[in-house]
Amino acid sequence: MAYAGGEARRGPVTMGQANMIRCMLRDEPAHINIHDVWPVPEGTRTEAALDALRALAVRHEGLRTTFPHRAGRAPREQVVAPEGQFTVTVLDHEELPDEPAAYAESLARRARDERFHLDRDFPLRITLVTLRGAPVFATLAASHAATDVGALAVLKGEWRALLTDGTLPPLACAAPLDLAAEEAAPAGRRKSEASLRYWERIIRTGPQAMFAEPGAEGTEVSVPRLTLRSSRAGRALALAARRTGSPAPTVLLTAWCALVAHRTGQSACVAAVPTSNRYHPRLARSVNTLSQDALLSLDVRVPTFDALLAKAWGAALNAYRHSQFDAVALWDMIGRTTFERGSQFARDVVFNDVSTLPGTVAPAAPDDAADADAPELELTWGPDQVLPTRVLTFVYAIEPLVHLSLWADPALFKPEEAEGFLTGLVRLLEAVGTADVPLGSLTAVTGVRPVERGPQWCRVDGSWTSPQLVAEALGEALAGVHGALADATVHVTAEAAGPGGDEQAALTAYIAAGDTPLTPEQAHTALMEALPGRPGVLAPRLYVIVQDPPAEADPSGSGWLRQQILSEGTGRDRRM
């Protein structure tokens, strides 16, 4: 299909585009591309559906944008074409499968498997599913460099409006190049620098991983989708909002954070909330990728839900204000900060509330239930997806029913535990709808129990860790970089560093290196390179290198204190 009528423009990429391009160049396409399914209004002709798609391409510069670049280098520039072509595959059927919506969803997912070429491809891969010539669904796979979930929601709403009303209001949102100019201005640079400082405070002091516990392994896991549709939850959320005088989305976010922190045994809920960066009116309807995380840190050490709710709005707003940043500078900062802290930042908890976006994107409901009355509480399992997170929640609607999907790491949540988590969320909303809830009663109220870590786990520098796992990881890391250290003995202790109990505990690693030269810097660098996928491992604050281990096994570790020390240090002085 050909389109024409837009304006030719050229300029730098936005921070959001640079962030997602970085991910697209690194990750498998099925993991980073996104998709959607658009039901076609009844009576629509194929020509009208195609014309509406063409109109969207002309209307939105983000759909006419490519990113020229040299091989092996990330794009730094975007080019907007005034005219061009894109392909729509028409897939006609004499009869549709028994579950047409699920079939359309499978087509969209399958289209995600092919990589988008940033320098030349139209950012939407579209298939029009027709029944004896009549369009039923448009399925799309989309480049994350040009769109995000919010952008697809905007396109979906505008496409339906073109097919039903035939007109759209004038654009009142920032085009990608306009946003790039704002970001490059002095005020935009100051905003980015403030965001980096905000992130650094959380990464230096918050939990290194929310799910630092037995069973948490790997950086990417295959996770099934669990969807909740509940009118009970919708009624309870409305009651809770009225009782507390707080917006319903804030109440739901607070309940979710409280339950996540309760389940993980953490004193704070640290979560990425990506769609929050559309809170500004000029960005709300932008067809662009604004997918930069707002990093929420909510301290749950308060007595009741209402006290937590009073803190949540300020914490969320603070996160929203610091969600625009130079992604390269951010990850440089994260690398430097985590090396110094001795941790691996894990983006393992994500909460994405798209319920307030126009044309919200939601997974297809079972076809026989699409027009049924809203269920009191319905849980359905869907397809697996590989994700670099432990728990991901998408909220599609909050009234008249709560409709959300949860992807929870199956190594940490058995199917009945994942279902229990969502049922517990509904129970918490019902309790909050009638009275303030003591946070110490969450197990009784929700049925969700905190994880049991066992006595070998302790809290160090605000994070849960296991000295035994640290010793094992350090031993493997040393053997991997220096074969002569394959038989090195490693012992790690957790010792209180002063007032504050285990919250202020510090790890010390004793390494019997024999005659093999080893420095604390080498030990620390080796361990840091082995940390990804090990959320229960935190680097010691002190590395003590000795020649030989104690002559006799000593569970208390006191024998290591009597060994001759060859060298000791934090290992943070320089990278090797």
Side-chain angles (χ1 to χ4, degrees):
M1 287 179 51
Y3 64 86
E7 180 183 357
R9 300 179 70 191
R10 179 186 293 264
V13 297
T14 68
M15 292 178 181
Q17 289 170 334
N19 183 45
M20 294 316 305
I21 287 171
R22 175 182 174 275
C23 297
M24 290 179 69
L25 296 176
R26 179 195 64 198
D27 298 343
E28 291 299 317
H31 301 171
I32 192 62
N33 293 338
I34 56 179
H35 75 281
D36 195 14
V37 176
W38 299 351
V40 180
E42 188 174 353
T44 300
R45 295 178 299 106
T46 298
E47 293 77 8
L50 297 176
D51 287 343
L53 291 169
R54 182 184 291 109
L56 294 178
V58 174
R59 177 177 171 87
H60 294 289
E61 290 188 1
L63 299 184
R64 296 183 280 113
T65 295
T66 53
F67 303 90
H69 62 286
R70 294 181 182 178
R73 294 189 178 183
R76 301 173 64 88
E77 186 181 45
Q78 57 181 311
V79 175
V80 181
E83 58 186 17
Q85 293 184 336
F86 63 96
T87 299
V88 178
T89 300
V90 179
L91 202 57
D92 193 36
H93 299 73
E94 283 299 315
E95 297 292 339
L96 290 173
D98 291 339
E99 295 186 0
Y103 167 67
E105 173 87 3
S106 71
L107 292 176
R109 284 185 171 275
R110 197 179 309 155
R112 292 172 57 153
D113 294 341
E114 183 180 346
R115 193 174 297 277
F116 281 92
H117 297 95
L118 294 167
D119 59 342
R120 61 180 185 271
D121 284 357
F122 188 74
L124 301 179
R125 196 170 288 142
I126 309 169
T127 296
L128 196 62
V129 178
T130 61
L131 176 61
R132 294 186 288 276
V136 181
F137 296 103
T139 76
L140 304 91
S143 166
H144 222 330
T147 61
D148 56 18
V149 171
L152 288 184
V154 171
L155 291 172
K156 179 180 182 179
E158 291 188 347
W159 188 68
R160 289 182 62 87
L162 286 171
L163 294 179
T164 54
D165 301 331
T167 59
L168 291 174
L171 280 176
C173 58
L177 281 170
D178 300 327
L179 180 58
E182 293 176 11
E183 292 171 343
R189 293 197 300 270
R190 289 194 297 270
K191 186 174 185 178
S192 176
E193 291 165 359
S195 295
L196 295 186
R197 292 192 296 271
Y198 168 84
W199 276 67
E200 184 171 352
R201 285 196 300 271
I202 295 173
I203 291 170
R204 282 195 182 276
T205 60
Q208 67 166 350
M210 289 297 293
F211 286 90
E213 60 187 64
E217 295 181 355
T219 56
E220 292 188 342
V221 292
S222 181
V223 185
R225 184 184 74 206
L226 176 60
T227 297
L228 166 75
R229 298 173 69 239
S230 174
S231 57
R232 268 177 57 188
R235 293 192 299 270
L237 181 57
L239 284 172
R242 284 199 295 271
R243 184 187 70 77
T244 61
S246 298
T250 306
V251 175
L252 180 60
L253 173 62
T254 305
W256 183 84
C257 286
L259 202 56
V260 168
H262 172 70
R263 160 60 183 77
T264 57
Q266 300 281 11
S267 58
C269 180
V270 176
V273 281
T275 52
S276 59
N277 47 19
R278 286 182 174 268
Y279 73 99
H280 193 286
R282 292 187 65 245
L283 301 178
R285 298 189 61 84
S286 178
V287 174
N288 183 14
T289 185
L290 301 175
S291 286
Q292 292 190 273
D293 288 342
L295 188 64
L296 172 69
S297 180
L298 180 59
D299 190 331
V300 300
R301 291 174 294 186
V302 292
T304 69
F305 183 90
D306 285 6
L308 185 63
L309 181 61
K311 297 171 59 176
W313 172 243
L317 187 59
N318 209 18
Y320 302 163
R321 288 171 173 167
H322 296 99
S323 61
Q324 286 182 275
F325 44 78
D326 181 324
V328 174
L330 177 78
W331 283 102
D332 284 346
M333 178 276 293
I334 290 175
R336 181 183 69 254
T337 300
T338 53
F339 186 87
E340 294 170 358
R341 189 182 183 192
S343 66
Q344 176 70 36
F345 172 65
R347 183 186 180 269
D348 59 357
V349 178
V350 180
F351 183 86
N352 217 357
D353 186 349
V354 298
S355 63
T356 60
L357 298 178
T360 295
V361 182
D367 295 287
D368 57 359
D371 297 324
D373 293 337
E376 284 289 289
L377 197 160
E378 173 190 82
L379 294 169
T380 55
W381 288 94
D384 287 15
Q385 185 171 343
V386 176
L387 297 170
T389 61
R390 305 288 175 192
V391 166
L392 166 65
T393 302
F394 262 83
V395 180
Y396 306 109
I398 58 175
E399 59 176 359
L401 81 167
V402 170
H403 181 187
L404 59 82
S405 289
L406 172 76
W407 290 260
D409 186 347
L412 306 178
F413 291 82
K414 297 177 182 177
E416 60 271 20
E417 290 173 327
E419 293 179 355
F421 186 87
L422 290 187
T423 302
L425 180 64
V426 175
R427 290 173 176 168
L428 178 56
L429 292 174
E430 289 178 325
V432 169
T434 58
D436 194 3
V437 174
L439 295 187
S441 69
L442 287 185
T443 298
V445 171
T446 68
V448 176
R449 295 183 177 278
V451 63
E452 295 183 6
R453 290 186 171 87
Q456 72 274 25
W457 288 78
C458 59
R459 205 190 302 266
V460 173
D461 190 24
S463 299
W464 282 105
T465 189
S466 164
Q468 179 181 340
L469 291 180
V470 174
E472 293 172 358
L474 180 54
E476 293 172 9
L478 293 175
V481 299
H482 203 315
L485 290 170
D487 297 324
T489 303
V490 178
H491 180 78
V492 177
T493 64
E495 301 168 350
D502 64 355
E503 285 284 356
Q504 301 300 319
L507 296 180
T508 299
Y510 297 90
I511 306 170
D515 295 326
T516 305
L518 179 67
T519 66
E521 289 80 12
Q522 289 172 320
H524 184 67
T525 299
L527 180 58
M528 290 303 298
E529 291 176 354
L531 282 192
R534 301 172 186 252
V537 175
L538 195 70
R541 288 303 304 171
L542 182 67
Y543 296 87
V544 180
I545 316 297
V546 301
Q547 182 162 349
D548 300 307
E552 298 180 2
D554 181 7
S556 70
S558 61
W560 288 91
L561 301 175
R562 295 188 290 272
Q563 300 306 104
Q564 182 179 0
I565 297 174
L566 302 179
S567 65
E568 63 180 314
T570 66
R572 275 76 163 170
D573 296 338
R574 60 190 175 92
R575 292 179 183 266
M576 302 302 294

